[in-house]
């Protein structure tokens, strides 16, 4: 019996050793490896971004000159340009903004300033979260059925107006969320001061809350629009053409004209076998990215100005 | 003299005449107009569901459901058309699987790095840089996949064809890394410091704290970001249309051209699809399948977040 007990203890201590290893050097080394792996993961995305940008600059720089911007698309790669896609993109951008901005901001103001936490608000909130996961091409199918087919007398079918309405629905949730976040940064003491002076809710919003939140709202809207300008799939589905050799007239009739946009032109060039067209695509991508850069720079400028003035 | 008692307020009432009746009306009108705007987002969802259901029902009037589910090929333009949707689904699952096997681990590790390891100054540079990656239009990623990644991979894999699911999936994965990183980081960042300090006090190292305490606490947010990334991968269009090809065939070989559901919709839209034709309805039937797939994922995410969300003071 007495000989057994020490053995038992020895067993126990070795067992608990196997459960708990306080081998600090090993654990610290593992920590270092883990930290390095996380850094590598973060940087890998940025490295890919860098390679992508350099590759496109190398491929596209040679074709990029003034005539590339002022020429219409052509069957010959050397004389093809991006005039009509660029103008189409700007048309779509402006019309989408005119539709989506008032709707999105109005909806955001309602949800943040007017509504209580009732079933309607919750329905809209769940719905907005769900719309974020709906693929953009599905919006294209919606636009095809509703704006191109049903609203044909107004939109004239596959037109700028149909495209802009479709993209407006696509970015509406983003603008609503951005508006709500901007409104939330306005201190509630401001609203209460307004009410105390006898102003109605709308007067307080119009005169005090909205002007303060406006830079934030604009930032969100510009970011949403930069999503719209890169969208390709929904516009292909509603039937934007790839070969347009005229510009829409700057009038309400222009809204009803067929159109093409930069991403669709780029897609058209990429999907051709010739290298010359691929280089055209790269040049088109440079123009598209410059457009996005200008928009994002504006958004960042607004955000910084906003943060400083508060 | 009889007006004298009321004369002091009269100058000010010249300046300020509240028209309470009008204010009330404006208040009501503004409120209901804005509520109608908020309703548009609900109307969008209803519109999507109704148009998809409407045209899909018409489609199944021409093509029976069992053929849609059991045909072994996808050849809607042939003389004897076949409508095996699983051909397109297999391609979508293949590219998505490759994409998420890239995006989920890298995105989560990047999120950990941003919230736990990166100093605030570095973080304030890294986040906008990742946002730039998120803002690159997908058609640009398509160019990248077709003209740079595929030729590069062909150096190592001679069997790789010009259009293939592999490079489309890889680049698709890169394009959704920022989504995973940013949403997961929000979830991890929201975990209070007291939990970490508790783990340190018990003798855990930083990695053990992250893996054992922080990540499980942020689980619901991380899973929500994963699910959103998966539905983004399934619904993504231009990368797979450009780089994975337009060749509908069953199978999970990543080296050959395939056709995803989204690529079919693009290809058919570029062709002639007059309203009311079978080709037109086929678009919506495929769209419906795509929508249902993302909807199921979305509902799962909603359920998961509800069940596993933990709130901290």
């Amino acid at each position: 019996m007495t000989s057994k007990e020490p053995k038992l203890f020895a067993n126990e201590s070795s067992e608990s050793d196997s459960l708990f290893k306080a081998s600090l050097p090993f654990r610290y080394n593992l920590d270092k490896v883990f930290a390095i792996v996380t850094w590598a993961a973060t940087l890998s995305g940025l490295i890919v971004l860098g390679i992508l940008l350099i590759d496109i600059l190398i491929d596209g720089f040679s074709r990029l000159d003034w005539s590339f911007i002022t020429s219409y698309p052509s069957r010959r790669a050397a004389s093809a340009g991006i005039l009509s896609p660029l103008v189409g993109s700007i048309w779509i951008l402006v019309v989408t903004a005119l539709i989506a901005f008032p709707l999105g901001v109005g909806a955001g103001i309602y949800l943040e300033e007017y509504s209580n936490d009732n079933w309607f608000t919750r329905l809209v909130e769940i719905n907005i979260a769900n719309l974020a996961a709906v693929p953009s091409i599905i919006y294209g199918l919606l636009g095809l059925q509703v704006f191109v087919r049903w609203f044909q007398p107004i939109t004239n079918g596959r037109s700028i107006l149909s495209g802009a309405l479709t993209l407006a629905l696509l970015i509406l949730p983003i603008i609503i969320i951005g508006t709500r976040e901007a409104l939330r940064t306005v201190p509630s003491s401001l609203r209460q001061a307004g009410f105390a002076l006898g102003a109605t809710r709308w007067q307080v919003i119009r005169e005090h809350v909205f002007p303060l939140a406006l830079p934030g709202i604009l930032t969100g809207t510009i970011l949403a629009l930069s999503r719209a300008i890169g969208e390709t799939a929904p516009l292909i589905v509603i039937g934007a053409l790839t070969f347009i050799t005229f510009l829409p007239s700057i009038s309400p009739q222009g809204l009803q004209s067929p159109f093409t946009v930069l991403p669709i032109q780029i897609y058209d060039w990429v999907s051709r076998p010739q290298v010359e067209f691929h280089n055209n695509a790269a040049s088109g991508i440079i123009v598209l990215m410059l457009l996005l850069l200008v928009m994002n720079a504006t958004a960042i400028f607004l955000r910084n100005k906003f943060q400083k003035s508060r | 003299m009889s007006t004298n008692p009321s004369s002091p307020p009269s100058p000010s009432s010249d300046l300020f005449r509240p028209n309470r009746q009008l204010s009330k009306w404006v208040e009501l009108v503004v409120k209901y107009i804005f509520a109608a705007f908020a309703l548009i987002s609900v109307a969008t969802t209803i519109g999507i569901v109704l148009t998809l259901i409407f045209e899909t029902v018409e489609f199944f009037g021409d093509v029976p459901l069992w053929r849609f589910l059991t045909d072994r090929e996808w050849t809607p333009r042939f003389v004897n058309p076949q409508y095996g949707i699983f051909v397109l689904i297999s391609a979508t699952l293949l590219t998505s699987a490759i994409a998420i096997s890239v995006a989920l681990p890298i995105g989560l590790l990047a999120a950990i790095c941003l919230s736990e390891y990166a100093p605030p100054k570095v973080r304030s540079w890294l986040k906008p840089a990742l946002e730039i990656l998120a803002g690159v239009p997908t058609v640009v990623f398509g160019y990248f996949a077709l003209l740079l990644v595929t030729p590069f991979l062909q150096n190592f894999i001679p069997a790789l064809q010009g259009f293939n699911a592999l490079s489309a999936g890889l680049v698709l994965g890169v394009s959704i890394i920022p989504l995973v990183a940013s949403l997961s980081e929000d979830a991890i960042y929201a975990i209070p410091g007291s939990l970490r300090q508790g783990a340190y006090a018990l003798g855990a190292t930083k990695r053990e704290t992250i893996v054992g305490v922080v990540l499980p606490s942020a689980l619901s947010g991380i899973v929500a970001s994963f699910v959103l990334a998966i539905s983004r991968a399934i619904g993504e269009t231009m990368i797979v249309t450009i780089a994975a090809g337009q060749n509908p065939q069953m199978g999970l070989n990543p080296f050959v051209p395939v056709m995803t559901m989204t690529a079919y919709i693009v290809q058919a839209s570029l062709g002639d699809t007059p309203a009311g034709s079978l080709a037109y309805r086929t678009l919506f039937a495929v769209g419906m399948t795509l929508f249902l797939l993302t909807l199921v994922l979305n509902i799962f995410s909603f359920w998961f977040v509800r069940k596993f969300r933990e709130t901290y003071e």
Side-chain angles (χ1 to χ4, degrees):
Chain A
M1 288 295 275
T2 46
S3 62
K4 247 187 179 180
E5 264 177 42
K7 211 179 170 188
L8 197 75
F9 272 109
N11 261 351
E12 255 183 20
S13 73
S14 78
E15 238 174 45
S16 65
D17 264 355
S18 71
L19 282 174
F20 178 69
K21 281 193 186 119
S23 57
L24 270 176
F26 173 74
R27 284 161 65 199
Y28 278 138
N29 279 334
L30 209 60
D31 264 41
K32 273 180 201 149
V33 171
F34 185 72
I36 292 167
V37 169
T38 64
W39 278 106
T42 312
L43 293 178
S44 68
L46 300 181
I47 290 168
V48 171
L49 178 67
I51 296 173
L52 186 152
L53 293 179
I54 291 168
D55 174 52
I56 282 162
L57 278 177
I58 291 172
D59 290 352
F61 204 69
S62 59
R63 261 305 267 128
L64 200 63
D65 53 19
W66 189 243
S67 72
F68 181 72
I69 295 182
T70 56
S71 308
Y72 288 103
S74 161
R75 291 184 202 291
R76 284 180 299 126
S79 59
I82 53 159
L83 181 60
S84 51
L86 183 61
V87 172
S89 273
I90 292 170
W91 262 96
I92 286 282
L93 183 68
V94 172
V95 180
T96 305
L98 289 178
I99 298 165
F101 182 73
L103 293 183
V105 172
I109 289 178
Y110 176 80
L111 292 174
E112 201 58 37
E113 304 283 333
Y114 281 100
S115 74
N116 309 315
D117 187 26
N118 55 19
W119 65 270
F120 178 71
T121 317
R122 275 200 295 276
L123 174 73
V124 173
E125 273 170 359
I126 291 173
N127 185 59
I128 288 172
N130 269 318
L131 282 178
V134 173
S136 64
I137 198 164
I138 301 283
Y139 285 89
L141 291 173
L142 174 73
L144 178 64
Q145 181 81 329
V146 175
F147 301 132
V148 175
R149 263 189 80 188
W150 292 351
F151 288 3
Q152 167 111 32
I154 306 169
T155 60
N156 193 26
R158 301 161 190 268
S159 63
I160 289 177
L161 189 55
S162 296
L165 283 166
T166 308
L167 290 186
L169 289 187
L170 178 64
I171 63 170
L172 207 52
I174 312 177
I175 297 183
I176 294 176
I177 292 168
T179 303
R180 295 188 67 176
E181 275 169 12
L183 289 173
R184 250 175 247 154
T185 62
V186 178
S188 62
S189 55
L190 213 82
R191 297 184 183 87
Q192 280 147 18
F195 295 144
L197 290 173
T200 64
R201 195 170 276 275
W202 170 236
Q203 286 163 342
V204 169
I205 293 168
R206 194 185 56 198
E207 302 293 334
H208 298 288
V209 177
F210 184 70
L212 261 184
L214 188 61
I217 293 174
L218 285 179
T219 307
T221 307
I222 293 171
L223 292 179
L225 285 172
S226 59
R227 161 114 195 260
I229 204 161
E231 275 295 344
T232 324
L235 295 179
I236 291 181
V237 173
I238 68 151
L241 300 170
T242 49
F243 198 72
I244 296 264
T245 52
F246 59 86
L247 298 183
S249 65
I250 306 209
S251 66
Q253 278 76 46
L255 287 174
Q256 297 189 332
S257 79
F259 70 104
T260 186
V261 291
L262 268 177
I264 293 183
Q265 186 62 56
I266 293 166
Y267 166 63
D268 182 50
W269 279 333
V270 170
S271 52
R272 292 175 190 226
Q274 297 93 340
V275 178
E276 294 79 22
F277 279 115
H278 292 166
N279 291 342
N280 279 0
S283 309
I285 288 171
I286 294 176
V287 176
L288 180 63
M289 299 285 273
L290 282 177
L291 201 60
L292 282 170
L293 189 69
V294 170
M295 292 173 68
N296 281 304
T298 316
I300 290 166
F301 172 76
L302 280 171
R303 186 192 287 169
N304 288 347
K305 206 179 160 194
F306 180 52
Q307 280 169 348
K308 255 179 226 155
S309 69
R310 274 213 301 140
Chain B
M1 285 304 278
S2 62
T3 54
N4 212 16
S6 62
S7 69
S10 76
S12 72
S13 69
D14 276 350
L15 288 170
F16 176 66
R17 271 193 205 136
N19 187 341
R20 296 230 160 74
Q21 209 56 40
L22 182 69
S23 295
K24 255 182 198 166
W25 272 107
V26 171
E27 188 71 18
L28 260 183
V29 168
V30 165
K31 183 177 175 181
Y32 281 105
I33 288 177
F34 284 175
F37 288 176
L39 208 57
I40 287 179
S41 79
V42 181
T44 308
T45 309
I46 296 172
I48 287 173
V49 172
L50 284 185
T51 49
L52 287 177
I53 288 178
F54 186 68
E55 293 292 328
T56 306
V57 165
E58 300 258 298
F59 172 82
F60 285 126
D62 297 331
V63 179
L65 177 63
W66 61 269
R67 282 198 54 202
F68 193 65
L69 295 178
T70 58
D71 275 3
R72 309 278 301 163
E73 276 177 67
W74 179 264
T75 52
R77 282 163 187 277
F78 284 17
V79 186
N80 285 323
Q82 296 226 40
Y83 293 94
I85 188 66
F86 279 104
V87 175
L88 303 184
I89 291 180
S90 74
T92 294
L93 291 185
L94 178 60
T95 51
S96 306
I98 296 170
I100 60 181
S101 61
V102 172
L104 300 193
I106 293 184
L108 182 58
L109 286 171
I112 293 170
C113 178
L114 285 174
S115 65
E116 305 289 318
Y117 287 105
K121 208 154 197 182
V122 180
R123 183 172 178 270
S124 71
W125 279 101
L126 282 177
K127 277 209 94 169
L130 280 176
E131 277 168 24
I132 295 176
L133 190 63
V136 173
T138 52
V139 69
V140 179
F141 280 116
Y143 175 95
F144 186 63
L146 179 68
L147 299 175
L148 197 76
V149 175
T150 297
F152 176 72
L153 290 178
Q154 276 170 335
N155 293 333
F156 308 101
I157 312 167
L160 196 68
Q161 299 194 20
F163 297 106
N164 59 77
L166 181 62
S167 54
L170 289 176
V171 174
L172 177 55
V174 171
S175 78
I176 54 178
I177 287 174
L179 178 83
V180 179
S182 154
L183 292 180
S184 297
E185 201 238 343
D186 289 344
I188 294 172
Y189 205 70
I191 302 302
S194 55
L195 253 75
R196 296 181 182 85
Q197 281 142 22
Y200 290 144
L202 291 173
T205 65
K206 187 157 190 174
R207 177 191 57 85
E208 287 159 356
T209 305
I210 293 168
V211 176
V213 175
V214 176
L215 291 188
S217 312
L219 186 68
S220 69
I222 292 171
V223 169
S225 84
F226 281 8
V227 173
L228 191 61
I230 296 171
S231 41
R232 191 60 65 81
I234 288 175
E236 212 296 313
T237 310
M238 293 323 289
I239 301 173
V240 290
T241 306
I242 292 172
Q246 321 232 310
N247 182 23
Q249 61 180 352
M250 187 79 96
L252 296 174
N253 181 355
F255 299 152
V256 298
V258 292
M259 184 191 242
T260 63
M261 289 187 276
T262 49
Y264 170 74
I265 296 177
V266 166
Q267 188 221 30
S269 301
L270 287 171
D272 192 25
T273 51
S277 65
L278 182 56
Y280 184 83
R281 287 170 193 158
T282 312
L283 280 183
F284 287 84
V286 175
M288 184 75 177
T289 315
L290 186 61
F291 181 74
L292 284 180
L293 264 180
T294 51
L295 187 69
V296 167
L297 280 172
N298 223 352
I299 291 170
F300 167 76
S301 163
F302 212 78
W303 168 82
F304 191 91
V305 169
R306 276 220 156 163
K307 191 161 164 112
F308 289 92
R309 172 156 40 197
E310 312 208 7
T311 45
Y312 302 99
E313 297 277 310

